[in-house]
Amino acid sequence: MSTAMPFAADGALLSEVTAAVETAGVTLRDRYTSHARGVSMDEVVGEIHANDDAVLDVLREPLLRSRPGSQWAEDELAGGALPPGEWWVVDPAEGNINHVHGMEDWAVTATLVCDNLPVLTVVHLPLTGDTYTAVAGGGARLNDRPLKVSAKTDLGAALTGTGQAKPGEDERTFRRIGDSVTAMLINGLVVRVSVPATMQLIHVAAGRMDAFWQFSDVRSGLVAGALLVSEAGGTVTDLAGEPWSTAGRDFLAAAPGLHTSALKVLAPIA
């Protein structure tokens, strides 16, 4: 992924976005409990919507103000290409289902997408205080430390991952997930199957995991991690091996030494 836009030089924008996301993270952290909230489907969905609404109330305006003329992608579960221009793709509670069940794998994410490519992203983990950032052409960082993807070249030694993008996907997608896990268990070392995507992709960007794939185009779960992995030296494509953008129907982010072998395993299933 690349862009001619001079985002790497715009440190002020990154600082503004980081401040906005970290402030929003306080709101989400204050709503967190270590026990599950909600029993019925309606109660669980209500808790999820309440988290989203609370965070968006403090996040939307600062982001739009930080980039005059930018637009807001309203549906966080939507996929496919966006219209031309600059769009904020935000997940106010990435891993919301984990948050409402008292688990710790969740974050606040905000990504600026320009002509369907992510160009700036901030991922904040309120429970640890860690913040992952990346700008196109400017590298990826965890707090003040540069990120670098894994140096592995043997898929047989790889820790890889995938997961479900959203509830209620079609049966064909679920079967492809299952088939792909089986194939990667045969060819790799260990496979993690979990949600959300961003919480696995930050591990790929940091070199803790070696690859992540997904049979979905839900953009809010992919744009942040796609930029982080790419700027940390990884390879990000669809499962046909073509450069990934929000128009892609599926997704693979991997250490460069493993990308070809991972694609060989996964492409027939896609």
Side-chain angles (χ1 to χ4, degrees):
M1 296 184 304
S2 64
T3 177
M5 302 296 287
F7 289 95
D10 197 342
L13 177 60
L14 180 61
S15 294
E16 286 184 55
V17 176
T18 300
V21 172
E22 290 180 347
T23 298
V26 173
T27 298
L28 191 59
R29 186 189 65 206
D30 288 348
R31 297 182 57 82
Y32 175 70
T33 63
S34 59
H35 61 269
R37 307 191 306 279
V39 176
S40 70
M41 175 67 80
D42 286 346
E43 289 170 342
V44 171
V45 171
E47 292 285 350
I48 287 171
H49 288 328
N51 281 346
D52 284 344
D53 292 344
V55 175
L56 288 175
D57 279 348
V58 298
L59 187 57
R60 185 194 304 260
E61 184 56 34
L63 291 181
L64 289 171
R65 187 173 61 244
S66 72
R67 193 71 179 174
S70 60
Q71 302 175 78
W72 194 268
E74 292 289 344
D75 185 355
E76 70 183 64
L77 292 179
L82 289 160
E86 294 182 3
W87 293 82
W88 288 107
V89 177
V90 171
D91 199 321
E94 168 72 328
N96 211 339
I97 193 67
N98 295 338
H99 186 286
V100 304
H101 282 86
M103 295 188 286
E104 298 181 354
D105 287 350
W106 46 272
V108 179
T109 78
T111 304
L112 185 63
V113 174
C114 179
D115 295 333
N116 286 299
L117 291 175
V119 294
L120 181 149
T121 194
V122 176
V123 176
H124 178 59
L125 282 57
L127 289 183
T128 65
D130 287 333
T131 300
Y132 293 76
T133 61
V135 290
R141 306 183 75 83
L142 165 56
N143 303 324
D144 292 326
R145 178 172 65 83
L147 294 175
K148 186 175 178 59
V149 297
S150 165
K152 287 182 185 174
T153 57
D154 177 10
L155 188 62
L159 170 56
T160 64
T162 189
Q164 177 182 349
K166 60 182 179 180
E169 297 206 67
D170 62 272
E171 182 179 346
R172 181 169 179 264
T173 296
F174 291 146
R175 291 189 181 280
R176 287 196 295 177
I177 293 171
D179 290 346
S180 69
V181 169
T182 299
M184 197 59 82
L185 285 169
I186 293 169
N187 290 276
L189 180 62
V190 172
V191 179
R192 299 182 69 201
V193 182
S194 64
V195 295
T198 302
M199 298 300 287
Q200 295 199 64
L201 285 164
I202 60 174
H203 292 313
V204 178
R208 305 181 198 109
M209 288 178 60
D210 304 301
F212 173 85
W213 74 95
Q214 188 167 277
F215 297 102
S216 173
D217 63 353
V218 176
R219 66 176 82 94
S220 66
L222 298 175
V223 287
L227 186 59
L228 283 163
V229 172
S230 178
E231 288 296 325
T235 304
V236 182
T237 68
D238 62 20
L239 290 174
E242 297 298 322
W244 182 83
S245 76
T246 58
R249 292 183 298 176
D250 41 42
F251 178 90
L252 172 63
L258 294 173
H259 180 267
T260 298
S261 54
L263 193 63
K264 184 177 180 180
V265 172
L266 297 169
I269 299 167

